[in-house]
Structure formats: C-alpha cells, structure tokens
Amino acid sequence: MNLVDEETVIVVDTSILNHIIYKNMSIGSKVLDLLIKYKKNIWIPFTVYEEFLKVNADKFVDDK
C-alpha cells in the first residue's frame, strides 16, 4: 500500500520550508528528497509563500 499516490495532495506549510533550508542538513535533505519525488502532488498556499519571504534568514539561523 502506497501512502502517496497520484491523487494525494501534499500541502506544504512554512515550517516545512524552514526545515528544508535552515534545519539540520540531513533532515532538510530528506524532506527535500520526498518533495522532489512527489513534486506533482505539492501545493504551496500563497500565504505560506508570503510568510516564508518575511523570514529573516540570518536572524532565523542565529536563533537556532
């Protein structure tokens, strides 16, 4: 049984985007690999995109 198929929609939120870019590289790369594998199933809401653009990358990394 596949947990993800052609009908599955993966809705990405800001925390997933942050994991990909700012978290431990092994975690981020695993998440990114899954998203690449199922890229046709991904939907990123515009509000998530706007939130992500507001993140101050330098401050975010320093806080971690």
Side-chain angles (χ1 to χ4, degrees):
M1 174 181 191
N2 282 336
L3 296 178
V4 177
D5 61 23
E6 292 182 17
E7 308 257 334
T8 304
V9 175
I10 301 169
V11 180
V12 177
D13 68 358
T14 307
S15 67
I16 294 297
L17 297 176
N18 289 336
H19 268 290
I20 293 170
I21 295 177
Y22 303 114
K23 295 282 186 180
N24 177 308
M25 289 304 291
S26 64
I27 295 170
S29 65
K30 289 176 186 176
V31 171
L32 186 57
D33 288 344
L34 286 171
L35 293 178
I36 289 170
K37 183 176 180 179
Y38 298 107
K39 64 185 174 187
K40 291 182 180 180
N41 303 59
I42 296 173
W43 183 63
I44 302 174
F46 186 71
T47 54
V48 170
Y49 173 73
E50 286 182 316
E51 283 178 12
F52 183 72
L53 290 179
K54 291 179 184 177
V55 173
N56 179 332
D58 295 329
K59 182 178 180 334
F60 190 88
V61 170
D62 289 344
D63 290 347
K64 294 294 174 189

